[in-house]
Amino acid sequence: MKALKQIFTYLIWIAVSLILGIVYMRILLGPNKVPSEGLWYLFHIFYNLGLLHIGARIGGVMAFLFIILDVFYLKKKLKNNIQATITRFILLLGIAMIVGVVHYILEKVVDVI
């Protein structure tokens, strides 16, 4: 039962990191100003597909880094209470900022992406 609870907890953290990745891409791309009628509807679909596809990949990277840090470091240091949850969420936001900066550097400065 303890393993099932741990898996469920990590699934929640993965969902939060995927949402953070999609929010990051929404901030990066900005609002969709293309009208959704006629031929422009196709561009509207591509915009939303890119938003979800790339946002999910970035969220997956954040989830992977968070789970590695949680399993090998935080689980030993923190107990299960509200303060530990807040600490984990702040760590996830920090990972999101680091991944965002790395993504920006790779896309704009180095021009790899």
Side-chain angles (χ1 to χ4, degrees):
M1 194 66 175
K2 186 176 180 181
L4 188 63
K5 182 181 175 188
Q6 191 69 34
I7 291 171
F8 182 69
T9 304
Y10 282 134
L11 285 176
I12 291 173
W13 285 114
I14 290 171
V16 170
S17 66
L18 289 174
I19 290 170
L20 282 175
I22 292 171
V23 166
Y24 167 71
M25 285 308 296
R26 176 72 174 160
I27 291 170
L28 192 66
L29 292 175
N32 188 3
K33 296 179 183 176
V34 176
S36 61
E37 297 94 23
L39 183 60
W40 294 105
Y41 181 70
L42 185 63
F43 295 124
H44 184 72
I45 290 174
F46 285 142
Y47 174 83
N48 289 333
L49 185 65
L51 182 75
L52 292 177
H53 182 70
I54 303 301
R57 285 184 180 211
I58 290 175
V61 169
M62 287 188 291
F64 176 74
L65 292 174
F66 173 77
I67 289 174
I68 294 296
L69 281 174
D70 190 53
V71 167
F72 291 117
Y73 183 71
L74 288 179
K75 199 183 253 189
K76 298 172 188 170
K77 299 287 182 184
L78 299 175
K79 303 294 181 203
N80 285 335
N81 56 20
I82 191 70
Q83 187 177 6
T85 305
I86 292 171
T87 304
R88 284 183 171 101
F89 186 72
I90 290 172
L91 176 72
L92 187 59
L93 286 177
I95 290 172
M97 286 189 281
I98 291 170
V99 169
V101 167
V102 169
H103 178 261
Y104 178 79
I105 290 171
L106 288 176
E107 185 175 2
K108 301 291 182 184
V109 177
V110 182
D111 198 25
V112 174
I113 300 176

